[in-house]
Amino acid sequence: MRLTRSRRRHGLAIGLTPLIDVVFILLLFFMLASSLADWRVLEVVMPEARPQATPPSSATARNLVVVAVAADGALSIDDEAVTPESLAQRLTARATADPTLRVHVRPVEAAPMQAVVSALEAAGQAGAASVEVRPR
């Protein structure tokens, strides 16, 4: 009777290519996931009301439009109530007539930010030469 010894492999060789692929995929996943999880919140605080400075002179008042934003989001141009749609139309007409038109958006402290941004967008799209936010 002949007995043969089975040969044992000393130290099984494991293929490193699949292991490296998995490590790189995990590394890529965590790099992308960590960069997307880094959200920063921008806190916007409306400034407090302050007394009005000297009124503009008649020379500068000709090309100045004041858009007021009330606490309930209502808009007005030079103390005349307007809707958001008519605001854009009126500003476009005034900017066409006067290319040096300046628009001051004056929100109150409790004004909704969306109404302020809508007024700024309407003034920018109307073609005003200067658009500023000046709190009341």
Side-chain angles (χ1 to χ4, degrees), residues 74-83 86 90:
L75 302 171
S76 63
I77 294 179
D78 297 328
D79 298 327
E80 182 182 333
V82 293
T83 63
S86 64
R90 290 182 66 173

Side-chain angles (χ1 to χ4, degrees), residues 29-39:
F29 171 76
F30 285 112
M31 285 174 53
L32 290 175
S34 67
S35 67
L36 293 177
D38 191 21
W39 288 94

Side-chain angles (χ1 to χ4, degrees), residues 29-73:
F29 171 76
F30 285 112
M31 285 174 53
L32 290 175
S34 67
S35 67
L36 293 177
D38 191 21
W39 288 94
R40 291 184 177 89
V41 176
L42 176 64
E43 183 177 335
V44 178
V45 178
M46 297 299 290
E48 295 180 17
R50 61 179 185 224
Q52 178 68 24
T54 58
S57 66
S58 61
T60 60
R62 286 183 292 201
N63 67 346
L64 176 66
V65 175
V66 177
V67 178
V69 182
D72 62 350

Side-chain angles (χ1 to χ4, degrees), residues 10-32:
H10 294 290
L12 295 173
I14 298 175
L16 292 180
T17 304
L19 180 64
I20 291 173
D21 289 344
V22 169
V23 169
F24 279 131
I25 289 173
L26 287 174
L27 177 67
L28 182 67
F29 171 76
F30 285 112
M31 285 174 53
L32 290 175

